Structures are given as structure tokens and as C-alpha cells.
């Protein structure tokens, strides 16, 4: 059996698969990041470890004892500062965080486009590079004591080995490519390290995503109820692992995933041309005939999907089912026509790369009710995804999109997204593709799977949602209104 562990922004998921691609167990444990100051987003990394304990405590022992390998997918861009024993020295700074605004630009000055040239990504808030520079400036004692700066999944993986050996401090291209500190191959960019005056010794070695990085520590195995000798594989980023779970290793797709944020990705066998407002990251590397199999994806990353809807749900003190029931009730759509919602609770990346954008409603009148505000916000989240999609040069050539993620299951939401994008959505049967992709990496890294076996893991399209012509025209008009409201800010 293969165990995939996905460290998300608001939940940890564990998925156990057989070598034939059959899902044997799936568990999700929820938690919430801390937002102690305006623009900050962080979490105690030990919450991830305790969430893993809770998730596996619900799994039958007989099934856990069959696990021979595990791997990870994890939220990108965040950073955990650790001591020599892999103990966290500071809360993990997450991808939603905005505290490092301007730190990299101030240092690079006229070299500010070096990241776009060297790794295909312009500077954006929430990336590991900026967070580390903020720590150096604001928490110098923490910075000096840091043995290694690790991404979330690399920290948890290392913590589970309970070792301090330097060769266990590793990362891999799909996560390193999201730090702003690597080149297009995923290796550390030495020229950028020089410009930023960072010490390479504080960063992990880059290995293939399918590398065996160690064995599960005996005391940790006992706590988790897993057998001794479980092999731990490096793993990959959450979006990269979702791409693997969706079949991107062997097929060309464009896919939308919705969760805390929304990600639109398309696969490339060669490095795509960099474009401001979009990202270029590596798909987790596997080995074929002992040669790295490099693939890339270009991504539009929208920070505000489930995050702003969850915030709205909490403010209105309602359940998720009520969100959809009220939003799509009779007369809501008509009454909401003159409302404009701004969904940018956490600033925004694609395509604006603007951390100062904010959330709210424009045009509220006396006749508007809660359901109108809800619908307007759902519509604007869909519009932000539409704007990100249309920023791809090839968007008009896309015949359809795969649709997955924790926020992809409600039929009315699916229809709204199809209408906004004016493209058919092929909705997949599995929403937790990142954990699935991690389990596949565990199999590839231990030779329990070969690339020829991956067809067993191919996702199934459960339905195809086609756009409604009248509604797509409405979305075009609402997009113009939203863009005009941005320009007036």
C-alpha cells in the first residue's frame, strides 16, 4: 500500500492507494492558519504533525500495517525556519502572507526582473524568498539560528525521520521552483543568492521528487501505527502532485483546481515563455531509464477562492449549504445584477500581482439582502478565475478544462464556472488529487510502480458541464464592470 499525505492551507489529507490505483482510505483533518496582524498568515508547523496523527488514528490498523512507502504533497511557497534537529524556530510563514511586500525589490533594485529571466516568475508576495528576507530584517536572532529553511512538506517529511543528518535536508524541483530562488531546472540560482546575500548552507539539497530520503523513525511509526521500515519519498508541491494525479505525466491537459485559492495550469514538455502575471513551475520529477523526466506547467494563481467564501460564510454565520441555497434562489440573480463584489481578501496574484487589492462590495442598495451579497461574491470569484484563464496566450485554443479540488463538487458552482470560462468542464471523480499524486510518487520512488502502471490511477470524468450561451454573455458584461471598478480604485 502507498500513503499520500497532502499538507494543505486549511486541512491535512491522507490517502492510501493500492498498486492498482484503488483508493483504500481517505481522511481529512481541518485546521486554520493564524492571521495575527494585517497581511500576515502563519501556522505552528506542529499542527501539521498532530493532524497527521489524528488522520491516521481513524484508519484501521490492519490497513496501516500494509503501507510500505509514503510521500508528500504540500502547499507551495511557505517557509519553516528550523534548528539542527528540525525543530521549528518560528511559525511557518504561508503563501497567503503579505508581510514581505517590497523586501526583494528593494535589494534587487535595477535587477528586479532577474527572477523572471532566471526562473520564469516575477517577484510576488508569499514566496519563500521574501519571507526569508523579512525574517533576516525583522527577526535577526531567528535568522542566525536557522540551520535550514524548509518548505512545509519538506519540514514534515524531515521531522518524521527524527534525524539531524544533513543529507536528509532535501527539497525537490516542484517546490524549489516556487521559492523565487531557483533556476528553471529547479536547482538553486547561485547568482540570485549572491544578489540577495543568502547563504546556500541554510537551504536543502535539491533531489528528484522520487528520491528515497530516509525511513520513518521507529518512535514516530509507533505513534502513527505504521510498520517499521516505511520508506519516505521526497514528494512534490500540491499543484504539481495534483497534476500527476490528473494524468499530466503522460497527457497534455489544462486543469482548474479550486480550494483555498484557484489554480489554472497547463502542461509543457519544454519551458514555456515567461509572462508577467503567470507562473512557471516544475511538475515533480520521476526517473525513466535513470534519467530525470522534466515537465513544467504554466499557472495562473488566484489567491481568493475558498478563502474569501469561507470568510464570508463566517461573517454571515451560515453553513456551506446555505451559501449555494441562498445564492441561487429565485430572484437572487436578477437582484444582484447591479452589485459588484471584490474578492481579493488576500491581495491577488494572477494577473495583477498586487498585494494591496482588497475585498468588499460596491453598489449596495436598500433592496439588497444577504443572498445578493453572497451571489455577487461567488460571481466575482468566478470572474477572477475567468480573467486569469484569459491571460493565457493559448486560452482560445483550449477545448475543455479538467475540474477538480475540494471546491469543485457543487453542481451549481460547476455551472457558474463553466459559464464564466465559456468552456466545458470535465469534472473528475477525485477531489483530492494532490494526496493521490503523492501516493503515486511513493510508488515510483520505491519501484513499486513504473510509469507504465500509472494508467491504473487515471481519474474518471464523472460529468461534463457545458456553458450556457446566455449566461456566458452576462459574464462578459460583469467582467467589464469588475475591471472598471478595479481601475477606479
Amino acid at each position: 500500500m502507498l500513503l499520500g499525505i497532502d499538507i494543505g492551507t486549511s486541512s491535512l489529507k491522507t490517502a492510501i492507494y493500492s498498486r492498482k490505483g484503488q483508493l483504500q482510505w481517505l481522511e481529512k483533518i481541518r485546521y486554520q492558519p493564524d492571521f495575527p496582524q494585517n497581511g500576515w498568515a502563519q501556522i505552528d508547523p506542529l499542527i501539521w504533525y498532530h493532524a497527521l496523527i489524528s488522520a491516521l488514528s481513524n484508519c484501521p490498523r490492519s490497513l496501516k500495517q500494509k503501507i510500505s512507502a509514503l510521500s508528500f504533497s504540500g502547499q507551495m511557497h511557505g517557509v519553516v525556519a528550523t534548528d539542527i534537529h528540525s525543530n521549528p524556530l518560528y511559525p511557518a510563514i504561508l503563501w497567503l502572507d503579505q508581510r514581505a511586500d517590497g523586501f526583494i525589490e528593494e535589494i534587487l533594485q535595477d535587477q528586479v526582473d532577474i527572477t523572471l529571466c532566471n526562473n520564469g516568475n516575477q517577484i510576488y508576495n508569499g514566496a519563500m524568498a521574501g519571507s526569508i528576507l523579512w525574517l533576516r530584517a525583522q527577526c535577526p536572532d531567528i535568522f542566525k539560528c536557522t540551520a535550514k529553511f524548509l518548505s512545509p512538506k519538506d519540514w514534515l517529511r524531515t521531522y518524521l525521520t527524527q534525524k539531524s543528518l544533513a543529507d536528509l535536508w532535501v527539497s525537490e524541483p516542484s517546490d524549489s521552483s516556487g521559492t523565487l530562488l531557483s533556476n528553471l531546472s529547479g536547482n538553486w540560482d547561485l547568482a540570485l543568492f549572491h544578489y540577495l546575500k543568502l547563504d546556500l548552507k541554510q537551504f536543502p539539497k535539491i533531489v528528484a521528487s522520487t528520491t528515497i530520503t530516509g525511513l520513518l523513525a521507529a518512535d514516530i511509526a509507533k505513534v502513527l501505527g505504521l510498520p517499521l521500515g516505511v520508506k519516505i519519498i521526497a514528494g512534490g508541491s500540491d499543484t504539481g502532485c495534483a497534476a500527476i494525479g490528473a494524468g499530466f505525466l503522460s497527457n497534455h491537459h489544462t486543469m482548474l483546481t479550486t480550494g483555498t485559492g484557484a489554480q489554472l495550469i497547463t502542461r509543457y514538455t519544454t519551458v514555456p515563455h515567461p509572462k508577467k502575471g503567470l507562473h512557471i513551475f516544475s511538475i515533480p520529477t520521476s526517473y525513466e531509464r535513470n534519467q530525470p523526466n522534466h515537465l513544467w506547467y504554466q499557472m495562473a494563481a488566484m489567491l481568493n477562492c475558498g478563502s474569501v467564501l469561507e470568510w464570508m460564510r463566517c461573517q454571515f454565520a451560515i453553513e456551506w449549504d446555505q451559501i449555494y441555497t441562498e445564492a441561487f434562489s429565485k430572484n437572487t440573480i436578477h437582484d444582484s445584477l447591479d452589485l459588484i463584489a471584490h474578492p481579493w481578501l488576500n491581495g491577488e496574484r494572477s494577473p495583477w500581482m498586487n498585494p494591496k487589492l482588497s475585498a468588499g462590495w460596491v453598489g449596495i442598495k436598500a433592496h439588497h439582502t444577504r443572498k445578493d451579497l453572497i451571489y455577487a461574491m461567488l460571481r466575482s470569484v468566478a470572474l477572477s478565475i475567468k480573467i486569469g484563464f484569459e491571460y493565457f496566450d493559448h486560452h482560445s485554443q483550449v477545448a475543455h478544462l479538467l475540474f477538480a479540488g475540494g471546491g469543485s463538487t457543487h453542481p451549481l458552482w460547476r455551472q457558474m464556472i463553466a459559464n464564466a470560462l465559456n468552456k466545458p468542464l470535465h469534472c473528475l471523480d477525485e477531489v483530492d488529487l494532490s494526496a493521490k499524486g503523492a501516493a503515486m510518487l511513493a510508488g515510483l520512488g520505491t519501484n513499486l510502480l513504473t510509469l507504465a502502471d500509472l494508467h491504473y490511477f487515471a481519474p474518471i470524468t464523472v460529468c461534463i458541464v457545458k456553458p450556457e450561451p446566455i449566461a456566458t454573455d452576462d459574464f462578459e458584461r460583469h467582467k467589464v464592470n469588475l475591471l472598471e471598478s478595479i481601475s477606479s480604485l
Side-chain angles (χ1 to χ4, degrees), residues 368-389:
H368 288 131
T369 64
R370 182 175 72 185
K371 62 185 176 63
D372 302 314
L373 300 179
I374 293 171
Y375 182 83
M377 188 60 74
L378 283 167
R379 182 178 61 208
S380 285
V381 170
L383 284 170
S384 71
I385 295 171
K386 173 183 177 66
I387 292 167
F389 175 61

Side-chain angles (χ1 to χ4, degrees), residues 215-427:
L215 302 179
L216 187 63
D219 56 340
I220 299 290
K222 183 176 180 180
V223 171
L224 298 179
L226 298 179
L228 295 175
V230 172
K231 295 177 181 177
I232 299 180
I233 310 304
S237 66
D238 54 355
T239 305
C241 284
I244 291 177
F248 273 51
L249 287 183
S250 56
N251 296 290
H252 177 78
H253 293 299
T254 297
M255 179 170 69
L256 167 65
T257 57
T258 55
T260 302
Q263 298 82 34
L264 281 156
I265 64 172
T266 189
R267 168 188 182 266
Y268 289 86
T269 54
T270 58
V271 179
H273 181 70
K275 182 177 182 179
K276 288 186 175 181
L278 299 177
H279 297 294
I280 298 173
F281 299 132
S282 294
I283 292 177
T285 55
S286 61
Y287 275 108
E288 185 174 18
R289 298 185 184 91
N290 296 320
Q291 295 297 320
N293 179 20
H294 283 296
L295 295 171
W296 290 264
Y297 62 93
Q298 193 166 43
M299 178 171 76
M302 285 64 67
L303 301 182
N304 305 280
C305 187
S307 58
V308 68
L309 299 179
E310 172 65 9
W311 172 86
M312 180 178 65
R313 185 193 70 80
C314 291
Q315 305 313 308
F316 290 154
I318 59 176
E319 299 300 320
W320 268 102
D321 286 346
Q322 290 177 263
I323 292 278
Y324 300 108
T325 301
E326 293 194 17
F328 297 101
S329 63
K330 187 178 180 180
N331 296 328
T332 299
I333 297 175
H334 174 76
D335 292 342
S336 304
L337 289 177
D338 54 345
L339 258 180
I340 299 174
H342 289 179
W344 307 295
L345 189 67
N346 305 292
E348 190 53 289
R349 276 203 234 154
S350 300
W352 294 291
M353 297 295 182
N354 186 349
K356 294 181 173 60
L357 287 175
S358 58
W361 289 267
V362 178
I364 297 176
K365 301 293 184 180
H367 69 280
H368 288 131
T369 64
R370 182 175 72 185
K371 62 185 176 63
D372 302 314
L373 300 179
I374 293 171
Y375 182 83
M377 188 60 74
L378 283 167
R379 182 178 61 208
S380 285
V381 170
L383 284 170
S384 71
I385 295 171
K386 173 183 177 66
I387 292 167
F389 175 61
E390 292 177 351
Y391 210 65
F392 283 108
D393 293 333
H394 71 288
H395 77 273
S396 61
Q397 283 79 49
V398 174
H400 68 270
L401 291 92
L402 303 183
F403 190 30
S408 67
T409 58
H410 199 283
L412 294 174
W413 175 241
R414 288 172 172 172
Q415 188 63 63
M416 178 177 267
I417 295 295
N419 292 342
L421 300 181
N422 196 18
K423 298 288 182 181
L425 299 180
H426 289 213
C427 304

Side-chain angles (χ1 to χ4, degrees), residues 103-104 107 128-138 196 198:
F103 269 80
I104 301 179
I107 293 173
M128 179 185 285
S131 299
I132 290 173
L133 295 175
W134 181 91
L135 280 171
R136 184 172 69 184
Q138 302 298 321
L196 298 177
L198 292 173

